[in-house]
């Protein structure tokens, strides 16, 4: 571990270092240590910081520059995939299967990855946030009720911080992201944090945003009052046909 990296203490309410002090290599590494108590996690997200580490590593905190984000009105689904959605019979809901979605995210095989960063400690932490009304899932099911994909993350004010998404059938995660973006746009939430880039996110319309700009938007959006709690009723049911018509 780089000796210059700040170490966080046990107090979950203690402030984080300034994200502008994060390392350039590896990009965005800001601090290590601390805990995953709700107060610590919510403070992190409110300051544009997120935890990311693997089993056997210390708890690592990140604030990369630039930041990968989705504009909620600009998630891109291909014409071919939208044609599939119209025939699929899939339906998206929210917060009806948080545990199932996060478990699937933790255990689904991912090309080029050995193991998962969603440790047992992380699973327990986000389940706590879900029970407190801060963490949410969007789940997509086929007509039989089987889970085909999902996404989960943390909401503060009108800012959604995406954590992970999963496909249990081809395209399931794309449908979950599309449904989330559609509903957030309808609610007036402009941004989904996607943390760091990869080719899959880029293909869905993710863009890079300078960290300073991202942090400025986060400060504005988390300050907007929003009711905390489960999204099941507010989100409703989003049929794939509607999703296919609303995304391009």
């Amino acid at each position: 571990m780089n000796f210059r990296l700040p170490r966080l203490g046990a107090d979950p309410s203690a402030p984080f270092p300034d994200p502008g002090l994060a390392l350039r290599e590896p990009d965005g590494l800001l601090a290590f240590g601390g805990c995953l108590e709700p107060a610590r996690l919510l403070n992190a997200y409110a300051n544009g910081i997120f935890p990311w580490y693997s089993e056997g590593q210390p708890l690592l905190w990140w604030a990369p520059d630039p930041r990968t984000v989705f504009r909620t009105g600009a998630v891109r689904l291909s014409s071919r995939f939208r044609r599939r959605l119209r025939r699929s019979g899939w339906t998206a809901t929210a917060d009806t299967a948080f545990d199932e979605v996060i478990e699937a995210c933790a255990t689904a095989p991912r090309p080029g990855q050995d193991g998962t960063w969603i440790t047992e400690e992380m699973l327990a932490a986000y389940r706590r946030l879900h029970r407190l009304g801060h963490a949410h899932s969007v789940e997509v099911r086929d007509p039989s009720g089987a889970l085909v994909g999902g996404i989960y993350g943390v909401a503060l004010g009108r800012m959604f911080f995406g954590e992970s998404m999963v496909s249990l059938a081809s395209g399931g995660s794309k449908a979950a992201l599309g449904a989330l973006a559609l509903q957030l746009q309808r609610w007036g939430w402009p941004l989904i944090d996607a943390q760091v880039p990869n080719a899959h996110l880029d293909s869905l319309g993710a863009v890079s945003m300078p960290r300073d700009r991202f942090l400025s938007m986060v400060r504005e959006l988390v300050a907007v009052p929003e009711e905390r709690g489960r999204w099941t009723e507010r989100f409703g049911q989003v049929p794939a046909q509607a999703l296919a018509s609303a995304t391009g």
Side-chain angles (χ1 to χ4, degrees):
M1 183 65 63
N2 190 311
F3 70 94
R4 295 173 298 173
L5 197 65
R7 179 172 187 164
L8 302 181
D11 181 3
S13 63
F16 280 88
D18 181 348
L21 300 176
L23 299 181
R24 298 304 306 174
E25 183 59 40
D27 179 30
L29 183 55
L30 177 66
F32 74 103
C35 64
L36 292 173
E37 290 298 316
R40 171 68 79 186
L41 282 170
L42 295 175
N43 186 25
Y45 286 110
N47 287 279
I49 300 162
F50 60 89
W52 186 24
Y53 66 107
S54 298
E55 196 73 53
Q57 291 182 326
L59 208 171
L60 303 176
W61 301 91
W62 302 79
D65 186 17
R67 192 64 160 250
T68 300
V69 300
F70 287 100
R71 300 281 186 180
T72 56
V75 170
R76 185 169 61 239
L77 302 181
S78 70
S79 297
R80 180 179 180 183
F81 183 60
R82 285 186 284 124
R83 287 194 295 271
R84 273 190 55 206
L85 285 176
R86 292 188 182 100
R87 301 190 299 269
S88 69
W90 291 357
T91 302
T93 55
D95 289 342
T96 68
F98 185 87
D99 285 354
E100 191 176 1
V101 169
I102 195 172
E103 285 280 358
C105 287
T107 58
R110 299 178 189 272
Q113 293 186 18
D114 181 15
T116 178
W117 58 269
I118 307 175
T119 64
E120 288 298 325
E121 186 181 22
M122 293 281 271
L123 286 170
Y126 287 91
R127 284 173 176 144
R128 286 194 295 269
L129 283 187
H130 177 62
R131 290 195 296 269
L132 292 170
H134 294 292
H136 303 279
S137 65
V138 171
E139 47 280 338
V140 180
R141 297 189 181 277
D142 68 16
S144 75
L147 186 71
V148 297
I151 187 171
Y152 79 94
V154 174
L156 286 176
R158 288 190 178 177
M159 181 69 205
F160 190 87
F161 301 89
E163 273 296 319
S164 186
M165 57 185 183
V166 65
S167 288
L168 300 177
S170 178
S173 65
K174 292 189 286 188
L177 174 64
L180 172 65
L182 176 63
Q183 295 300 71
L184 291 181
Q185 184 188 24
R186 288 172 173 171
W187 299 347
W189 299 38
L191 213 60
I192 299 171
D193 176 31
Q195 299 181 348
V196 294
N198 62 48
H200 180 60
L201 297 180
D202 292 348
S203 73
L204 295 171
V207 296
S208 293
M209 180 179 288
R211 182 171 56 208
D212 286 349
R213 173 62 177 152
F214 173 76
L215 295 177
S216 176
M217 291 192 69
V218 166
R219 284 191 293 269
E220 293 177 6
L221 291 169
V222 301
V224 180
E226 280 284 346
E227 185 177 351
R228 191 177 76 195
R230 289 184 176 245
W231 281 358
T232 305
E233 184 174 348
R234 182 182 187 186
F235 194 95
Q237 295 190 356
V238 180
Q241 291 89 341
L243 178 60
S245 300
T247 56

